[in-house]
Amino acid sequence: MSRKEFSGGGRLFGNGSLLADATNIEVSIGGPTSRIVTTGGNTGEVKSDPTMAKVTVSHAVPKIGTDIQKIRRWQDTSADVMWKVVVGNNTVTIKGKVSSLKVSAAPGKGECSFEIEGDAQGAG
């Protein structure tokens, strides 16, 4: 896939509803690795959390005001939500929680950003 197909190609779904055609979306999967040395002198790496996933979304304030309320409710209740993140032609499914939400405004510009942390559900 070429670089231009990834450009501006991010979408986010929460429990099946489209929440954002994101202008900025970032997905990272996998936790840190630790290097170990056994008593026998063997070495290797251990992943501490291989399915850990974090999504950062930043976009204009949604036209539907209830979308922000929905995200806020999920954050307040610490609800596990099934997220589908599409970047280019890659789809990642994550079961996780909204960890932070930020809404900002400036003359002529509004922005909504939030982060999701959870577990990736497979390499689909």
Side-chain angles (χ1 to χ4, degrees), residues 33-72:
T33 58
S34 301
R35 186 116 173 110
I36 61 166
V37 180
T38 66
T39 55
N42 297 318
T43 60
E45 291 84 25
V46 176
K47 280 190 179 180
S48 62
D49 192 353
T51 63
M52 181 182 81
K54 185 173 183 176
V55 180
T56 305
V57 180
S58 179
H59 61 98
V61 174
K63 292 178 183 173
I64 302 171
T66 57
D67 286 349
I68 293 177
Q69 292 171 346
K70 191 183 298 186
I71 295 165
R72 179 77 193 273

PDB file of all heavy atoms in Angstrom, residues 33-72:
ATOM      1  N   THR A  33       9.514  -5.045  25.883  1.00  0.00           N
ATOM      2  CA  THR A  33      10.194  -6.321  26.035  1.00  0.00           C
ATOM      3  C   THR A  33      11.290  -6.186  27.086  1.00  0.00           C
ATOM      4  O   THR A  33      11.814  -5.099  27.314  1.00  0.00           O
ATOM      5  CB  THR A  33      10.835  -6.792  24.711  1.00  0.00           C
ATOM      6  OG1 THR A  33      11.748  -5.793  24.265  1.00  0.00           O
ATOM      7  CG2 THR A  33       9.791  -7.029  23.651  1.00  0.00           C
ATOM      8  N   SER A  34      11.616  -7.288  27.716  1.00  0.00           N
ATOM      9  CA  SER A  34      12.690  -7.316  28.707  1.00  0.00           C
ATOM     10  C   SER A  34      13.698  -8.366  28.273  1.00  0.00           C
ATOM     11  O   SER A  34      13.326  -9.461  27.857  1.00  0.00           O
ATOM     12  CB  SER A  34      12.149  -7.692  30.083  1.00  0.00           C
ATOM     13  OG  SER A  34      11.180  -6.778  30.506  1.00  0.00           O
ATOM     14  N   ARG A  35      14.949  -8.016  28.377  1.00  0.00           N
ATOM     15  CA  ARG A  35      16.009  -8.962  28.038  1.00  0.00           C
ATOM     16  C   ARG A  35      16.339  -9.759  29.292  1.00  0.00           C
ATOM     17  O   ARG A  35      16.506  -9.204  30.373  1.00  0.00           O
ATOM     18  CB  ARG A  35      17.233  -8.187  27.572  1.00  0.00           C
ATOM     19  CG  ARG A  35      18.318  -9.052  27.070  1.00  0.00           C
ATOM     20  CD  ARG A  35      18.543  -8.777  25.591  1.00  0.00           C
ATOM     21  NE  ARG A  35      19.714  -9.501  25.131  1.00  0.00           N
ATOM     22  CZ  ARG A  35      19.641 -10.531  24.314  1.00  0.00           C
ATOM     23  NH1 ARG A  35      18.488 -10.931  23.861  1.00  0.00           N
ATOM     24  NH2 ARG A  35      20.712 -11.150  23.925  1.00  0.00           N
ATOM     25  N   ILE A  36      16.407 -11.087  29.149  1.00  0.00           N
ATOM     26  CA  ILE A  36      16.701 -11.933  30.309  1.00  0.00           C
ATOM     27  C   ILE A  36      17.926 -12.802  30.033  1.00  0.00           C
ATOM     28  O   ILE A  36      18.233 -13.111  28.882  1.00  0.00           O
ATOM     29  CB  ILE A  36      15.503 -12.832  30.684  1.00  0.00           C
ATOM     30  CG1 ILE A  36      15.139 -13.766  29.530  1.00  0.00           C
ATOM     31  CG2 ILE A  36      14.300 -12.020  31.090  1.00  0.00           C
ATOM     32  CD1 ILE A  36      14.215 -14.890  29.927  1.00  0.00           C
ATOM     33  N   VAL A  37      18.588 -13.167  31.083  1.00  0.00           N
ATOM     34  CA  VAL A  37      19.703 -14.110  31.029  1.00  0.00           C
ATOM     35  C   VAL A  37      19.416 -15.173  32.084  1.00  0.00           C
ATOM     36  O   VAL A  37      19.202 -14.860  33.246  1.00  0.00           O
ATOM     37  CB  VAL A  37      21.057 -13.408  31.324  1.00  0.00           C
ATOM     38  CG1 VAL A  37      22.195 -14.417  31.269  1.00  0.00           C
ATOM     39  CG2 VAL A  37      21.294 -12.265  30.352  1.00  0.00           C
ATOM     40  N   THR A  38      19.377 -16.413  31.648  1.00  0.00           N
ATOM     41  CA  THR A  38      19.103 -17.507  32.592  1.00  0.00           C
ATOM     42  C   THR A  38      20.372 -17.883  33.353  1.00  0.00           C
ATOM     43  O   THR A  38      21.475 -17.464  32.988  1.00  0.00           O
ATOM     44  CB  THR A  38      18.571 -18.752  31.852  1.00  0.00           C
ATOM     45  OG1 THR A  38      19.611 -19.263  31.013  1.00  0.00           O
ATOM     46  CG2 THR A  38      17.345 -18.429  31.030  1.00  0.00           C
ATOM     47  N   THR A  39      20.205 -18.698  34.392  1.00  0.00           N
ATOM     48  CA  THR A  39      21.377 -19.137  35.161  1.00  0.00           C
ATOM     49  C   THR A  39      22.317 -19.981  34.311  1.00  0.00           C
ATOM     50  O   THR A  39      23.497 -20.077  34.593  1.00  0.00           O
ATOM     51  CB  THR A  39      20.945 -19.928  36.414  1.00  0.00           C
ATOM     52  OG1 THR A  39      20.111 -21.007  36.003  1.00  0.00           O
ATOM     53  CG2 THR A  39      20.238 -19.040  37.397  1.00  0.00           C
ATOM     54  N   GLY A  40      21.798 -20.575  33.245  1.00  0.00           N
ATOM     55  CA  GLY A  40      22.630 -21.370  32.338  1.00  0.00           C
ATOM     56  C   GLY A  40      23.355 -20.533  31.304  1.00  0.00           C
ATOM     57  O   GLY A  40      24.075 -21.052  30.464  1.00  0.00           O
ATOM     58  N   GLY A  41      23.126 -19.203  31.331  1.00  0.00           N
ATOM     59  CA  GLY A  41      23.806 -18.315  30.389  1.00  0.00           C
ATOM     60  C   GLY A  41      23.054 -18.081  29.093  1.00  0.00           C
ATOM     61  O   GLY A  41      23.552 -17.416  28.192  1.00  0.00           O
ATOM     62  N   ASN A  42      21.850 -18.619  28.963  1.00  0.00           N
ATOM     63  CA  ASN A  42      21.052 -18.377  27.767  1.00  0.00           C
ATOM     64  C   ASN A  42      20.399 -16.997  27.860  1.00  0.00           C
ATOM     65  O   ASN A  42      20.072 -16.524  28.946  1.00  0.00           O
ATOM     66  CB  ASN A  42      19.976 -19.452  27.610  1.00  0.00           C
ATOM     67  CG  ASN A  42      20.575 -20.828  27.422  1.00  0.00           C
ATOM     68  OD1 ASN A  42      21.550 -20.985  26.687  1.00  0.00           O
ATOM     69  ND2 ASN A  42      20.021 -21.817  28.100  1.00  0.00           N
ATOM     70  N   THR A  43      20.204 -16.371  26.703  1.00  0.00           N
ATOM     71  CA  THR A  43      19.585 -15.049  26.691  1.00  0.00           C
ATOM     72  C   THR A  43      18.345 -15.064  25.808  1.00  0.00           C
ATOM     73  O   THR A  43      18.173 -15.946  24.966  1.00  0.00           O
ATOM     74  CB  THR A  43      20.554 -13.975  26.156  1.00  0.00           C
ATOM     75  OG1 THR A  43      20.927 -14.317  24.824  1.00  0.00           O
ATOM     76  CG2 THR A  43      21.778 -13.854  27.028  1.00  0.00           C
ATOM     77  N   GLY A  44      17.497 -14.069  25.995  1.00  0.00           N
ATOM     78  CA  GLY A  44      16.297 -13.943  25.180  1.00  0.00           C
ATOM     79  C   GLY A  44      15.480 -12.746  25.612  1.00  0.00           C
ATOM     80  O   GLY A  44      15.858 -12.011  26.523  1.00  0.00           O
ATOM     81  N   GLU A  45      14.377 -12.548  24.928  1.00  0.00           N
ATOM     82  CA  GLU A  45      13.479 -11.441  25.243  1.00  0.00           C
ATOM     83  C   GLU A  45      12.132 -11.987  25.681  1.00  0.00           C
ATOM     84  O   GLU A  45      11.671 -13.008  25.176  1.00  0.00           O
ATOM     85  CB  GLU A  45      13.252 -10.518  24.035  1.00  0.00           C
ATOM     86  CG  GLU A  45      14.464  -9.722  23.628  1.00  0.00           C
ATOM     87  CD  GLU A  45      15.395 -10.510  22.718  1.00  0.00           C
ATOM     88  OE1 GLU A  45      14.919 -11.430  22.040  1.00  0.00           O
ATOM     89  OE2 GLU A  45      16.596 -10.210  22.717  1.00  0.00           O
ATOM     90  N   VAL A  46      11.512 -11.268  26.590  1.00  0.00           N
ATOM     91  CA  VAL A  46      10.171 -11.607  27.059  1.00  0.00           C
ATOM     92  C   VAL A  46       9.304 -10.375  26.880  1.00  0.00           C
ATOM     93  O   VAL A  46       9.658  -9.280  27.315  1.00  0.00           O
ATOM     94  CB  VAL A  46      10.180 -12.020  28.554  1.00  0.00           C
ATOM     95  CG1 VAL A  46       8.762 -12.263  29.044  1.00  0.00           C
ATOM     96  CG2 VAL A  46      11.045 -13.234  28.761  1.00  0.00           C
ATOM     97  N   LYS A  47       8.149 -10.542  26.204  1.00  0.00           N
ATOM     98  CA  LYS A  47       7.204  -9.442  26.065  1.00  0.00           C
ATOM     99  C   LYS A  47       6.331  -9.410  27.302  1.00  0.00           C
ATOM    100  O   LYS A  47       5.738 -10.423  27.668  1.00  0.00           O
ATOM    101  CB  LYS A  47       6.325  -9.619  24.829  1.00  0.00           C
ATOM    102  CG  LYS A  47       6.975  -9.222  23.550  1.00  0.00           C
ATOM    103  CD  LYS A  47       5.943  -9.212  22.439  1.00  0.00           C
ATOM    104  CE  LYS A  47       6.568  -8.793  21.139  1.00  0.00           C
ATOM    105  NZ  LYS A  47       5.606  -8.762  20.053  1.00  0.00           N
ATOM    106  N   SER A  48       6.240  -8.241  27.926  1.00  0.00           N
ATOM    107  CA  SER A  48       5.458  -8.174  29.154  1.00  0.00           C
ATOM    108  C   SER A  48       3.958  -8.184  28.888  1.00  0.00           C
ATOM    109  O   SER A  48       3.198  -8.690  29.680  1.00  0.00           O
ATOM    110  CB  SER A  48       5.845  -6.939  29.968  1.00  0.00           C
ATOM    111  OG  SER A  48       5.573  -5.772  29.244  1.00  0.00           O
ATOM    112  N   ASP A  49       3.503  -7.630  27.771  1.00  0.00           N
ATOM    113  CA  ASP A  49       2.075  -7.610  27.451  1.00  0.00           C
ATOM    114  C   ASP A  49       1.915  -7.535  25.932  1.00  0.00           C
ATOM    115  O   ASP A  49       1.745  -6.448  25.375  1.00  0.00           O
ATOM    116  CB  ASP A  49       1.396  -6.422  28.132  1.00  0.00           C
ATOM    117  CG  ASP A  49      -0.113  -6.499  28.075  1.00  0.00           C
ATOM    118  OD1 ASP A  49      -0.647  -7.403  27.400  1.00  0.00           O
ATOM    119  OD2 ASP A  49      -0.770  -5.645  28.689  1.00  0.00           O
ATOM    120  N   PRO A  50       1.954  -8.658  25.234  1.00  0.00           N
ATOM    121  CA  PRO A  50       1.964  -8.638  23.770  1.00  0.00           C
ATOM    122  C   PRO A  50       0.678  -8.140  23.112  1.00  0.00           C
ATOM    123  O   PRO A  50       0.704  -7.696  21.977  1.00  0.00           O
ATOM    124  CB  PRO A  50       2.236 -10.089  23.384  1.00  0.00           C
ATOM    125  CG  PRO A  50       1.878 -10.895  24.572  1.00  0.00           C
ATOM    126  CD  PRO A  50       2.069 -10.011  25.760  1.00  0.00           C
ATOM    127  N   THR A  51      -0.452  -8.172  23.817  1.00  0.00           N
ATOM    128  CA  THR A  51      -1.708  -7.717  23.213  1.00  0.00           C
ATOM    129  C   THR A  51      -2.099  -6.306  23.629  1.00  0.00           C
ATOM    130  O   THR A  51      -3.154  -5.818  23.230  1.00  0.00           O
ATOM    131  CB  THR A  51      -2.873  -8.667  23.556  1.00  0.00           C
ATOM    132  OG1 THR A  51      -3.079  -8.657  24.973  1.00  0.00           O
ATOM    133  CG2 THR A  51      -2.597 -10.073  23.069  1.00  0.00           C
ATOM    134  N   MET A  52      -1.262  -5.643  24.446  1.00  0.00           N
ATOM    135  CA  MET A  52      -1.592  -4.285  24.879  1.00  0.00           C
ATOM    136  C   MET A  52      -1.744  -3.380  23.655  1.00  0.00           C
ATOM    137  O   MET A  52      -0.911  -3.391  22.754  1.00  0.00           O
ATOM    138  CB  MET A  52      -0.496  -3.728  25.777  1.00  0.00           C
ATOM    139  CG  MET A  52      -0.791  -2.321  26.271  1.00  0.00           C
ATOM    140  SD  MET A  52       0.543  -1.663  27.287  1.00  0.00           S
ATOM    141  CE  MET A  52       1.672  -1.128  26.031  1.00  0.00           C
ATOM    142  N   ALA A  53      -2.816  -2.602  23.626  1.00  0.00           N
ATOM    143  CA  ALA A  53      -3.059  -1.703  22.507  1.00  0.00           C
ATOM    144  C   ALA A  53      -3.411  -0.323  23.032  1.00  0.00           C
ATOM    145  O   ALA A  53      -4.106  -0.186  24.037  1.00  0.00           O
ATOM    146  CB  ALA A  53      -4.193  -2.232  21.645  1.00  0.00           C
ATOM    147  N   LYS A  54      -2.914   0.689  22.332  1.00  0.00           N
ATOM    148  CA  LYS A  54      -3.226   2.072  22.680  1.00  0.00           C
ATOM    149  C   LYS A  54      -3.572   2.812  21.396  1.00  0.00           C
ATOM    150  O   LYS A  54      -2.865   2.690  20.404  1.00  0.00           O
ATOM    151  CB  LYS A  54      -2.032   2.725  23.367  1.00  0.00           C
ATOM    152  CG  LYS A  54      -2.315   4.113  23.854  1.00  0.00           C
ATOM    153  CD  LYS A  54      -1.165   4.650  24.683  1.00  0.00           C
ATOM    154  CE  LYS A  54      -1.507   6.019  25.232  1.00  0.00           C
ATOM    155  NZ  LYS A  54      -0.462   6.527  26.101  1.00  0.00           N
ATOM    156  N   VAL A  55      -4.674   3.551  21.437  1.00  0.00           N
ATOM    157  CA  VAL A  55      -5.130   4.326  20.286  1.00  0.00           C
ATOM    158  C   VAL A  55      -5.240   5.778  20.713  1.00  0.00           C
ATOM    159  O   VAL A  55      -5.817   6.078  21.759  1.00  0.00           O
ATOM    160  CB  VAL A  55      -6.514   3.837  19.783  1.00  0.00           C
ATOM    161  CG1 VAL A  55      -6.971   4.646  18.594  1.00  0.00           C
ATOM    162  CG2 VAL A  55      -6.479   2.361  19.464  1.00  0.00           C
ATOM    163  N   THR A  56      -4.688   6.669  19.909  1.00  0.00           N
ATOM    164  CA  THR A  56      -4.815   8.099  20.139  1.00  0.00           C
ATOM    165  C   THR A  56      -5.535   8.697  18.944  1.00  0.00           C
ATOM    166  O   THR A  56      -5.112   8.497  17.798  1.00  0.00           O
ATOM    167  CB  THR A  56      -3.423   8.757  20.289  1.00  0.00           C
ATOM    168  OG1 THR A  56      -2.715   8.091  21.328  1.00  0.00           O
ATOM    169  CG2 THR A  56      -3.554  10.225  20.622  1.00  0.00           C
ATOM    170  N   VAL A  57      -6.630   9.411  19.212  1.00  0.00           N
ATOM    171  CA  VAL A  57      -7.460   9.991  18.163  1.00  0.00           C
ATOM    172  C   VAL A  57      -7.551  11.493  18.382  1.00  0.00           C
ATOM    173  O   VAL A  57      -7.786  11.950  19.498  1.00  0.00           O
ATOM    174  CB  VAL A  57      -8.894   9.392  18.192  1.00  0.00           C
ATOM    175  CG1 VAL A  57      -9.755   9.992  17.112  1.00  0.00           C
ATOM    176  CG2 VAL A  57      -8.847   7.891  18.081  1.00  0.00           C
ATOM    177  N   SER A  58      -7.371  12.244  17.315  1.00  0.00           N
ATOM    178  CA  SER A  58      -7.510  13.696  17.381  1.00  0.00           C
ATOM    179  C   SER A  58      -8.192  14.161  16.106  1.00  0.00           C
ATOM    180  O   SER A  58      -7.730  13.849  15.008  1.00  0.00           O
ATOM    181  CB  SER A  58      -6.124  14.340  17.510  1.00  0.00           C
ATOM    182  OG  SER A  58      -6.246  15.732  17.541  1.00  0.00           O
ATOM    183  N   HIS A  59      -9.303  14.854  16.266  1.00  0.00           N
ATOM    184  CA  HIS A  59     -10.049  15.305  15.092  1.00  0.00           C
ATOM    185  C   HIS A  59     -10.921  16.493  15.451  1.00  0.00           C
ATOM    186  O   HIS A  59     -11.007  16.895  16.610  1.00  0.00           O
ATOM    187  CB  HIS A  59     -10.893  14.162  14.513  1.00  0.00           C
ATOM    188  CG  HIS A  59     -11.919  13.613  15.456  1.00  0.00           C
ATOM    189  ND1 HIS A  59     -13.223  13.995  15.433  1.00  0.00           N
ATOM    190  CD2 HIS A  59     -11.806  12.706  16.456  1.00  0.00           C
ATOM    191  CE1 HIS A  59     -13.888  13.339  16.370  1.00  0.00           C
ATOM    192  NE2 HIS A  59     -13.044  12.557  17.011  1.00  0.00           N
ATOM    193  N   ALA A  60     -11.573  17.039  14.453  1.00  0.00           N
ATOM    194  CA  ALA A  60     -12.500  18.140  14.698  1.00  0.00           C
ATOM    195  C   ALA A  60     -13.639  17.631  15.578  1.00  0.00           C
ATOM    196  O   ALA A  60     -13.926  16.438  15.617  1.00  0.00           O
ATOM    197  CB  ALA A  60     -13.053  18.664  13.381  1.00  0.00           C
ATOM    198  N   VAL A  61     -14.267  18.520  16.291  1.00  0.00           N
ATOM    199  CA  VAL A  61     -15.394  18.137  17.143  1.00  0.00           C
ATOM    200  C   VAL A  61     -16.468  17.509  16.251  1.00  0.00           C
ATOM    201  O   VAL A  61     -16.817  18.061  15.210  1.00  0.00           O
ATOM    202  CB  VAL A  61     -15.948  19.368  17.896  1.00  0.00           C
ATOM    203  CG1 VAL A  61     -17.206  19.009  18.669  1.00  0.00           C
ATOM    204  CG2 VAL A  61     -14.890  19.922  18.828  1.00  0.00           C
ATOM    205  N   PRO A  62     -16.977  16.326  16.629  1.00  0.00           N
ATOM    206  CA  PRO A  62     -17.978  15.661  15.796  1.00  0.00           C
ATOM    207  C   PRO A  62     -19.218  16.526  15.596  1.00  0.00           C
ATOM    208  O   PRO A  62     -19.616  17.273  16.489  1.00  0.00           O
ATOM    209  CB  PRO A  62     -18.332  14.408  16.596  1.00  0.00           C
ATOM    210  CG  PRO A  62     -17.216  14.212  17.540  1.00  0.00           C
ATOM    211  CD  PRO A  62     -16.646  15.561  17.817  1.00  0.00           C
ATOM    212  N   LYS A  63     -19.820  16.393  14.403  1.00  0.00           N
ATOM    213  CA  LYS A  63     -21.029  17.161  14.099  1.00  0.00           C
ATOM    214  C   LYS A  63     -22.196  16.717  14.970  1.00  0.00           C
ATOM    215  O   LYS A  63     -23.067  17.496  15.297  1.00  0.00           O
ATOM    216  CB  LYS A  63     -21.385  17.007  12.618  1.00  0.00           C
ATOM    217  CG  LYS A  63     -20.381  17.666  11.712  1.00  0.00           C
ATOM    218  CD  LYS A  63     -20.737  17.465  10.259  1.00  0.00           C
ATOM    219  CE  LYS A  63     -19.658  18.085   9.394  1.00  0.00           C
ATOM    220  NZ  LYS A  63     -19.825  17.804   7.991  1.00  0.00           N
ATOM    221  N   ILE A  64     -22.181  15.454  15.337  1.00  0.00           N
ATOM    222  CA  ILE A  64     -23.247  14.935  16.203  1.00  0.00           C
ATOM    223  C   ILE A  64     -22.778  15.092  17.645  1.00  0.00           C
ATOM    224  O   ILE A  64     -21.845  14.411  18.065  1.00  0.00           O
ATOM    225  CB  ILE A  64     -23.555  13.464  15.881  1.00  0.00           C
ATOM    226  CG1 ILE A  64     -23.955  13.324  14.411  1.00  0.00           C
ATOM    227  CG2 ILE A  64     -24.626  12.921  16.795  1.00  0.00           C
ATOM    228  CD1 ILE A  64     -24.072  11.902  13.942  1.00  0.00           C
ATOM    229  N   GLY A  65     -23.405  15.980  18.386  1.00  0.00           N
ATOM    230  CA  GLY A  65     -22.992  16.256  19.752  1.00  0.00           C
ATOM    231  C   GLY A  65     -23.079  15.068  20.679  1.00  0.00           C
ATOM    232  O   GLY A  65     -22.373  14.988  21.672  1.00  0.00           O
ATOM    233  N   THR A  66     -23.939  14.101  20.358  1.00  0.00           N
ATOM    234  CA  THR A  66     -24.084  12.937  21.228  1.00  0.00           C
ATOM    235  C   THR A  66     -22.855  12.034  21.193  1.00  0.00           C
ATOM    236  O   THR A  66     -22.657  11.233  22.098  1.00  0.00           O
ATOM    237  CB  THR A  66     -25.333  12.119  20.853  1.00  0.00           C
ATOM    238  OG1 THR A  66     -25.237  11.740  19.477  1.00  0.00           O
ATOM    239  CG2 THR A  66     -26.593  12.913  21.085  1.00  0.00           C
ATOM    240  N   ASP A  67     -22.024  12.154  20.155  1.00  0.00           N
ATOM    241  CA  ASP A  67     -20.815  11.319  20.092  1.00  0.00           C
ATOM    242  C   ASP A  67     -19.873  11.637  21.244  1.00  0.00           C
ATOM    243  O   ASP A  67     -19.325  10.737  21.864  1.00  0.00           O
ATOM    244  CB  ASP A  67     -20.093  11.498  18.756  1.00  0.00           C
ATOM    245  CG  ASP A  67     -20.810  10.802  17.612  1.00  0.00           C
ATOM    246  OD1 ASP A  67     -21.740  10.008  17.885  1.00  0.00           O
ATOM    247  OD2 ASP A  67     -20.444  11.054  16.457  1.00  0.00           O
ATOM    248  N   ILE A  68     -19.686  12.908  21.544  1.00  0.00           N
ATOM    249  CA  ILE A  68     -18.824  13.275  22.670  1.00  0.00           C
ATOM    250  C   ILE A  68     -19.447  12.803  23.975  1.00  0.00           C
ATOM    251  O   ILE A  68     -18.751  12.294  24.853  1.00  0.00           O
ATOM    252  CB  ILE A  68     -18.558  14.796  22.712  1.00  0.00           C
ATOM    253  CG1 ILE A  68     -17.714  15.198  21.511  1.00  0.00           C
ATOM    254  CG2 ILE A  68     -17.859  15.199  24.004  1.00  0.00           C
ATOM    255  CD1 ILE A  68     -17.456  16.674  21.396  1.00  0.00           C
ATOM    256  N   GLN A  69     -20.761  12.930  24.106  1.00  0.00           N
ATOM    257  CA  GLN A  69     -21.438  12.455  25.313  1.00  0.00           C
ATOM    258  C   GLN A  69     -21.270  10.946  25.472  1.00  0.00           C
ATOM    259  O   GLN A  69     -21.069  10.447  26.578  1.00  0.00           O
ATOM    260  CB  GLN A  69     -22.915  12.825  25.266  1.00  0.00           C
ATOM    261  CG  GLN A  69     -23.159  14.312  25.366  1.00  0.00           C
ATOM    262  CD  GLN A  69     -24.618  14.668  25.106  1.00  0.00           C
ATOM    263  OE1 GLN A  69     -25.394  13.855  24.607  1.00  0.00           O
ATOM    264  NE2 GLN A  69     -24.981  15.899  25.437  1.00  0.00           N
ATOM    265  N   LYS A  70     -21.338  10.214  24.365  1.00  0.00           N
ATOM    266  CA  LYS A  70     -21.183   8.764  24.398  1.00  0.00           C
ATOM    267  C   LYS A  70     -19.770   8.396  24.866  1.00  0.00           C
ATOM    268  O   LYS A  70     -19.602   7.554  25.751  1.00  0.00           O
ATOM    269  CB  LYS A  70     -21.425   8.211  22.990  1.00  0.00           C
ATOM    270  CG  LYS A  70     -21.554   6.727  22.910  1.00  0.00           C
ATOM    271  CD  LYS A  70     -21.721   6.248  21.468  1.00  0.00           C
ATOM    272  CE  LYS A  70     -22.967   6.788  20.821  1.00  0.00           C
ATOM    273  NZ  LYS A  70     -23.205   6.231  19.480  1.00  0.00           N
ATOM    274  N   ILE A  71     -18.763   9.069  24.314  1.00  0.00           N
ATOM    275  CA  ILE A  71     -17.375   8.814  24.718  1.00  0.00           C
ATOM    276  C   ILE A  71     -17.187   9.168  26.185  1.00  0.00           C
ATOM    277  O   ILE A  71     -16.549   8.443  26.938  1.00  0.00           O
ATOM    278  CB  ILE A  71     -16.403   9.606  23.818  1.00  0.00           C
ATOM    279  CG1 ILE A  71     -16.479   9.090  22.384  1.00  0.00           C
ATOM    280  CG2 ILE A  71     -14.977   9.522  24.349  1.00  0.00           C
ATOM    281  CD1 ILE A  71     -15.845  10.006  21.360  1.00  0.00           C
ATOM    282  N   ARG A  72     -17.774  10.277  26.608  1.00  0.00           N
ATOM    283  CA  ARG A  72     -17.666  10.707  28.012  1.00  0.00           C
ATOM    284  C   ARG A  72     -18.316   9.704  28.961  1.00  0.00           C
ATOM    285  O   ARG A  72     -17.780   9.393  30.017  1.00  0.00           O
ATOM    286  CB  ARG A  72     -18.314  12.085  28.156  1.00  0.00           C
ATOM    287  CG  ARG A  72     -18.301  12.658  29.538  1.00  0.00           C
ATOM    288  CD  ARG A  72     -16.923  13.203  29.906  1.00  0.00           C
ATOM    289  NE  ARG A  72     -16.839  13.483  31.324  1.00  0.00           N
ATOM    290  CZ  ARG A  72     -17.197  14.632  31.881  1.00  0.00           C
ATOM    291  NH1 ARG A  72     -17.629  15.617  31.149  1.00  0.00           N
ATOM    292  NH2 ARG A  72     -17.089  14.793  33.180  1.00  0.00           N
TER     293      ARG A  72
END
